[in-house]
Amino acid sequence: MKLSENAKQLLEARYLLKNTEGKIIESPEELFGRVAKYVASVETKDRKKWENKFYDLLANLHFLPNSPTLMNAGLPNGQLSACFVLPVEDSLDSIFTTLKDMAMIHQSGGGTGYNFSQLRPHGDIVSSSGGVSSGPMAFIKIYDTATEHVRQGGKRRGANMGILNVDHPDIEEFILSKSEGNILQNFNLSVGITDDFMQAVESGGDWKLINPRTKKVAEIIKASKLWDQIVSQAWATGDPGLIFLDTINKYNPVPELGRIQSTNPCGEVPLFEYESCNLGSINLSKMVKLDGDRVEVDWRILENTVSVAVRFLDNVISANHYLLPQIEQETKSNRKIGLGIMGWAEMLALLNISYASEEAVLLGEKLMEFVQEKSYEASEELVNERGEFPNWEKSIFYPNKPMRNATCNSIAPTGSISVIADTSYSIEPLYALAYKRVGILENQIQMEVNPVFVGKMQELGFWTDEVKQEVLATGSIQQLKHIPKEVRSVFETSLEIPWEYHLQHQRAFQKYTDNAVSKTINLSKNTSKATISDIYMTAWKYGLKGITIYRDGSKANQVLQACHLNKSANC
């Protein structure tokens, strides 16, 4: 097993077991062994065989599960899920019960999502006390402050998704809430959007804000006014994103259980209240083979990886320690898993395909169709051994398709596990050919020069001091005219790729992902508000389940920064 220096640094800081003095008492091999052994412990026969298969999957960096599984598997009361959705009902009891549950989940390494739309608006009457309500934003701020003080498993900061529906009377306050500098640092905010609202924006129509307590119209405003506020704020701060609730519910696999109102912190898993989800990602940069001197997709190894990974994730549901009985009940009733991918940009580079090309988009669609098909086959196969998920008869699969899991696929952002696997994030393009990663490990700065890029340049005879200096200074090779255009186009970075291609990739992968796709459309500093409006509108028309944009430099503390590793003044 070959790990990069950045991977080792991250594993030592967060994942490897430490004794009471804080001394590391586990190697990376032992970490993978611990996880494989524990996840295989629920197997009733051939336990050792599956333990070995799981170990190979992890040690070869072909697949990695979400961080809580790597951190906690095999520990007493190990909580292994990354994603949770909790209810927030219109009572002080519910609000503060959920706050306590959130603290426990964050302490165990999980992240939480909530929809605050049931809460009565600011200034509304509270009959029990004769006072007035402080509204959703007041409670979101309380949740944010609590998160600040409860670190995730003592190892990373807690993450939250806060959603407010677009017809809530406090929606304008919600949209504008991040305009005051550094508040709500522990929340991603998204507006819960309906098709009716989008149509009202298109037609220039009016929009009704409805008091959730009385169900009466509180105010009528122009839909375009709200839209402009959303777009302006996203341009200025990166928040809010949009969650398309009607699209999510159109594809809800268990519609009899009601409407889904919320997602996990990064939006890739729409969940019912008290549901949790276990995620893992296949490293596509390892799913290629040499055929003569040509690199191509290795479909056979990909199929085998999918099959073993689905079993691994289903085992996690059974092996997990649940913090609340409601979470165990909901999670085991639907057995949702989210197998996704990382290293997509690196796979494309290895195949000499430009991210900003029709060829890449078509391959993305074909590849995800294959992953979903093989995931479903693996889930169906598990039924023979273990039976369908308990709510199967209430699902869209009944009666024709036996399934062990209500969902099989999610495209997560793969923040930490991409670093461990030393590959590119999720389905994102390369952020830069060299960049600084700030804040993933407290105040340590990690330098990253993309290894696939360096290998390609060496192979083509272009890896000179001049090229190296240019990449360290700018993170790009687009200025270097002596490198052929077709080579440069393969290594276009996130901000050099037109937004249209970012969205087309998200649509291609969403088409065959039963949960959702977490993707950030990275935009250059000089992007206009009109462009952001186009992106958000196009995302809805494409049938995406959510959309987030980030304009370079619009947050003070940015995790990825285009690299000026030579300490130039711009850094």
Side-chain angles (χ1 to χ4, degrees):
M1 162 176 21
K2 192 168 164 297
L3 292 169
S4 71
E5 286 311 307
N6 285 345
K8 287 178 196 160
Q9 188 188 14
L10 183 59
L11 287 168
E12 285 167 11
R14 284 207 197 141
Y15 293 84
L16 301 179
L17 293 184
K18 296 181 172 78
N19 65 14
T20 47
E21 281 85 58
K23 189 169 173 295
I24 293 168
I25 52 169
E26 173 177 70
S27 68
E29 288 82 358
E30 287 166 335
L31 161 79
F32 293 139
R34 162 170 64 84
V35 173
K37 186 182 173 83
Y38 184 71
V39 173
S41 68
V42 298
E43 295 287 346
T44 49
K45 53 179 194 283
D46 299 333
R47 187 174 298 169
K48 196 69 194 163
K49 176 186 97 171
W50 288 109
E51 184 186 327
N52 293 337
K53 281 189 179 235
F54 294 159
Y55 178 79
D56 289 346
L57 210 57
L58 304 175
N60 292 321
L61 303 176
H62 285 187
F63 159 89
L64 289 174
N66 51 221
S67 289
T69 301
L70 290 174
M71 290 172 179
N72 301 332
L75 304 192
N77 298 335
Q79 194 291 109
L80 312 181
S81 308
C83 308
F84 298 79
V85 160
L86 294 173
V88 184
E89 284 156 24
D90 191 31
S91 73
L92 222 49
D93 183 37
S94 166
I95 292 164
F96 283 93
T97 298
T98 290
L99 182 66
K100 183 189 84 175
D101 295 343
M102 171 204 91
M104 286 165 57
I105 287 168
H106 285 187
Q107 190 184 30
S108 75
T112 39
Y114 339 74
N115 188 318
F116 290 91
S117 304
Q118 287 188 46
L119 300 188
R120 65 192 72 192
H122 180 81
D124 197 36
I125 194 155
V126 179
S127 52
S128 59
S129 65
V132 293
S133 160
S134 31
M137 282 318 303
F139 294 113
I140 292 175
K141 286 172 186 165
I142 291 170
Y143 279 38
D144 181 67
T145 305
T147 300
E148 194 61 49
H149 297 292
V150 183
R151 301 182 60 78
Q152 279 186 323
K155 292 172 181 163
R156 52 182 186 165
R157 204 161 68 172
N160 298 288
M161 167 66 84
I163 296 174
L164 197 68
N165 292 354
V166 72
D167 61 356
H168 193 283
D170 289 355
I171 190 64
E172 291 182 75
E173 187 190 354
F174 178 83
I175 291 165
L176 299 171
S177 61
K178 283 206 183 183
S179 55
E180 312 147 27
N182 275 350
I183 74 156
L184 300 180
Q185 290 286 297
N186 306 299
F187 263 89
N188 290 329
L189 298 180
S190 284
V191 178
I193 297 282
T194 58
D195 292 346
D196 284 353
F197 174 73
M198 295 303 288
Q199 284 150 5
V201 171
E202 280 193 304
S203 65
D206 288 337
W207 184 246
K208 292 174 180 165
L209 303 182
I210 312 281
N211 182 324
R213 181 181 65 84
T214 63
K215 311 287 186 273
K216 294 196 167 101
V217 176
E219 196 183 345
I220 297 176
I221 57 173
K222 282 274 174 236
S224 57
K225 180 191 175 193
L226 273 186
W227 183 255
D228 291 345
Q229 286 180 339
I230 290 169
V231 166
S232 296
Q233 275 304 298
W235 179 87
T237 68
D239 283 280
L242 306 182
I243 296 281
F244 298 112
L245 292 170
D246 287 341
T247 309
I248 282 172
N249 282 289
K250 182 176 164 188
Y251 297 103
N252 177 357
V254 204
E256 273 190 45
L257 300 182
R259 270 178 77 80
I260 292 175
Q261 299 289 357
S262 189
T263 73
N264 71 317
C266 294
E268 75 273 17
V269 196
L271 293 169
F272 291 113
E273 290 164 349
Y274 289 120
E275 247 186 333
S276 67
C277 190
N278 302 297
L279 310 177
S281 299
I282 292 168
N283 180 358
L284 293 180
S285 69
K286 304 271 191 196
M287 302 290 131
V288 293
K289 62 179 181 187
L290 264 176
D291 185 26
D293 55 357
R294 276 196 52 211
V295 176
E296 50 184 52
V297 178
D298 190 334
W299 298 99
R300 190 187 57 78
I301 195 168
L302 180 57
E303 177 174 358
N304 180 53
T305 304
V306 169
S307 171
V308 180
V310 166
R311 189 181 191 101
F312 180 103
L313 291 172
D314 187 66
N315 282 12
V316 169
I317 296 171
S318 303
N320 206 348
H321 168 72
Y322 292 90
L323 297 168
L324 297 168
Q326 306 97 303
I327 293 175
E328 180 165 17
Q329 170 67 34
E330 287 297 315
T331 303
K332 287 184 171 173
S333 295
N334 296 320
R335 302 192 73 87
K336 287 181 180 172
I337 59 171
L339 178 63
I341 57 171
M342 55 185 165
W344 171 235
E346 288 197 348
M347 176 185 254
L348 289 175
L350 289 164
L351 298 168
N352 289 317
I353 298 172
S354 306
Y355 192 97
S357 69
E358 190 62 23
E359 189 183 358
V361 174
L362 290 171
L363 179 62
E365 195 172 302
K366 178 184 174 184
L367 185 118
M368 200 60 213
E369 183 179 19
F370 181 84
V371 169
Q372 186 179 54
E373 184 189 314
K374 298 304 170 191
S375 300
Y376 279 21
E377 282 174 16
S379 183
E380 209 169 326
E381 216 166 284
L382 285 173
V383 171
N384 302 327
E385 279 179 59
R386 305 174 175 178
E388 293 95 350
F389 64 94
N391 280 331
W392 178 66
E393 290 185 7
K394 297 178 178 159
S395 80
I396 56 172
F397 300 112
Y398 180 78
N400 302 319
K401 195 169 182 57
M403 288 285 278
R404 177 67 176 161
N405 314 94
T407 64
C408 288
N409 305 111
S410 282
I411 309 278
T414 71
S416 302
I417 61 171
S418 289
V419 179
I420 298 169
D422 195 23
T423 193
S424 54
Y425 295 113
S426 187
I427 60 164
E428 301 290 356
L430 297 174
Y431 178 74
L433 302 178
Y435 57 78
K436 299 191 319 176
R437 197 186 284 111
V438 183
I440 190 167
L441 280 177
E442 293 315 309
N443 299 318
Q444 294 176 15
I445 292 176
Q446 290 192 336
M447 304 303 188
E448 182 79 64
V449 183
N450 186 272
V452 172
F453 162 70
V454 175
K456 240 353 158 195
M457 291 294 106
Q458 287 170 334
E459 186 189 310
L460 296 167
F462 292 127
W463 191 239
T464 60
D465 273 353
E466 180 204 354
V467 170
K468 188 175 181 178
Q469 289 314 314
E470 173 72 13
V471 168
L472 291 180
T474 67
S476 171
I477 54 167
Q478 299 310 311
Q479 312 307 321
L480 299 173
K481 300 302 179 210
H482 72 280
I483 296 178
K485 192 170 184 307
E486 60 272 20
V487 176
R488 279 182 288 144
S489 81
V490 169
F491 289 103
E492 281 180 333
T493 59
S494 193
L495 300 180
E496 292 159 350
I497 288 166
W499 65 263
E500 290 87 349
Y501 277 105
H502 280 272
L503 270 191
Q504 284 178 39
H505 279 263
Q506 188 173 345
R507 175 171 66 169
F509 282 94
Q510 181 62 75
K511 191 170 174 185
Y512 295 105
T513 300
D514 38 19
N515 282 306
V517 176
S518 173
K519 163 114 183 63
T520 299
I521 315 296
N522 279 304
L523 300 165
S524 63
K525 207 176 180 73
N526 59 8
T527 302
S528 69
K529 291 179 187 176
T531 298
I532 289 168
S533 178
D534 287 346
I535 292 170
Y536 275 7
M537 186 58 80
T538 307
W540 171 63
K541 290 184 171 165
Y542 276 2
L544 303 183
K545 293 180 180 178
I547 179 74
T548 314
I549 62 99
Y550 183 73
R551 189 175 61 89
D552 199 45
S554 62
K555 275 189 173 67
N557 46 354
Q558 187 166 311
V559 174
L560 298 183
Q561 301 184 6
C563 192
H564 305 280
L565 300 186
N566 57 4
K567 306 286 186 288
S568 74
N570 301 345
C571 203

